């Protein structure tokens, strides 16, 4: 199981590259699902309604298992695939890259198109800051005040992050840990009968 992956922190926009009169506007977006992909593509089509092509590729999922490469009318494999290969080359997922082309009057040919779209995607992604997305697990921990030191010691040992805290008769904390540490974290409370811990969920979380 893969516990983490790489994506981009920030949106990159309007990275302009040129080839034989054609102009390419490069964009990259951090995206969490296909709905966000569609939203960004729709916005770019509104921004560049007269562009010749809106070619793109995206990867989603920790393994990049959900992906698509779209040539948008360019010859098959000359646009979306070179863009997608840059996502693979940089080991990025949860990421959409778009290259908007304005035709300059001179045909680039198959090899020229592949080169142009590769360079557009590469130069765009070169400007991105990388973030790590980790799989996480959330726990609810309840304990009496007399056990607070033991509870906090374990939380710190496993780099737990306090999401919520409630102090009434007892203490109740919602703690998030990296999924790869979750099992050991839960077992670390077994010696303390007065501390109750239960798994709430596990999910993906961008750090």
């Amino acid at each position: 199981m893969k516990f983490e992956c790489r994506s981009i922190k920030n949106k990159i926009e309007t990275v302009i590259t040129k080839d034989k009169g054609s102009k390419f506007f490069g964009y990259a977006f951090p995206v969490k699902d296909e709905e966000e992909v569609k939203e960004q593509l729709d916005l770019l089509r509104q921004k560049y309604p007269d562009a010749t092509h809106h070619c793109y590729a995206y990867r989603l999922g920790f393994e990049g298992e959900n992906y698509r490469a779209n040539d948008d009318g360019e010859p098959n494999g000359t646009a979306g695939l070179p863009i997608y290969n840059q996502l693979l080359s940089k080991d990025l997922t949860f990421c959409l890259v778009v290259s908007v082309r304005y035709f300059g009057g001179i045909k680039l040919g198959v090899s020229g198109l592949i080169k142009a779209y590769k360079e557009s995607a590469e130069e765009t992604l070169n400007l991105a800051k990388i973030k790590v997305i980790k799989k996480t697990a959330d726990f609810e921990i309840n304990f009496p005040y007399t056990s607070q030191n033991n509870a906090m010691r374990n939380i710190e040992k496993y780099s737990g992050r306090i999401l919520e805290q409630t102090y009434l008769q007892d203490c109740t904390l919602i703690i998030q840990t990296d999924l790869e540490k979750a099992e050991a974290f839960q077992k670390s409370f077994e010696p303390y009968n007065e501390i109750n811990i239960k798994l709430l969920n596990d999910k993906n979380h961008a750090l």
Side-chain angles (χ1 to χ4, degrees):
M1 179 188 293
K2 194 171 183 180
F3 289 106
E4 65 180 42
C5 62
R6 287 159 42 92
S7 187
I8 63 174
K9 280 186 180 180
N10 51 312
K11 171 184 173 183
I12 307 297
E13 58 182 332
T14 322
V15 178
I16 301 174
T17 56
K18 299 178 181 179
D19 196 329
K20 295 182 180 178
S22 285
K23 189 179 291 186
F24 299 82
F25 295 82
Y27 286 81
F29 306 90
V31 288
K32 66 177 183 292
D33 53 33
E34 290 180 348
E35 185 176 342
E36 280 197 1
V37 169
K38 184 178 182 302
E39 288 174 1
Q40 297 299 345
L41 289 171
D42 287 345
L43 288 173
L44 286 180
R45 290 186 181 109
Q46 293 170 26
K47 185 173 183 176
Y48 301 104
D50 56 341
T52 318
H53 304 280
H54 293 77
C55 303
Y56 65 89
Y58 65 79
R59 295 180 79 214
L60 299 169
F62 272 76
E63 306 285 346
E65 63 273 13
N66 184 0
Y67 61 89
R68 187 177 179 190
N70 189 298
D71 296 311
D72 193 32
E74 295 281 30
N76 186 40
T78 61
L81 186 58
I83 296 171
Y84 175 73
N85 283 337
Q86 287 305 301
L87 289 170
L88 290 180
S89 172
K90 297 181 183 297
D91 191 25
L92 296 174
T93 186
F94 294 107
C95 184
L96 164 68
V97 179
V98 186
S99 185
V100 180
R101 182 191 182 192
Y102 281 86
F103 180 54
I106 301 175
K107 292 185 177 180
L108 301 181
V110 169
S111 61
L113 286 171
I114 292 172
K115 177 176 177 290
Y117 281 106
K118 171 187 176 294
E119 289 179 353
S120 176
E122 183 178 31
E123 292 190 23
T124 301
L125 289 173
N126 282 344
L127 296 178
K129 293 181 180 178
I130 304 302
K131 71 178 178 182
V132 173
I133 300 175
K134 294 195 174 188
K135 291 182 178 179
T136 62
D138 292 353
F139 293 91
E140 180 182 274
I141 304 176
N142 179 268
F143 52 88
Y145 289 95
T146 53
S147 299
Q148 186 167 2
N149 287 342
N150 291 332
M152 295 309 297
R153 188 181 305 114
N154 277 13
I155 291 168
E156 290 175 10
K157 179 180 178 180
Y158 290 93
S159 304
R161 298 172 285 278
I162 299 176
L163 302 182
E164 298 177 25
Q165 46 193 333
T166 304
Y167 296 99
L168 297 172
Q169 278 190 319
D170 290 332
C171 301
T172 301
L173 303 178
I174 306 298
I175 302 295
Q176 185 177 84
T177 65
D178 296 345
L179 185 59
E180 61 186 322
K181 300 178 182 178
E183 184 177 354
F185 176 67
Q186 190 167 15
K187 285 183 176 179
S188 71
F189 287 94
E190 289 180 355
Y192 308 108
N193 294 327
E194 75 282 6
I195 300 178
N196 297 310
I197 180 171
K198 66 177 180 179
L199 177 67
L200 297 178
N201 57 52
D202 54 73
K203 59 187 177 181
N204 305 338
H205 181 69
L207 294 181

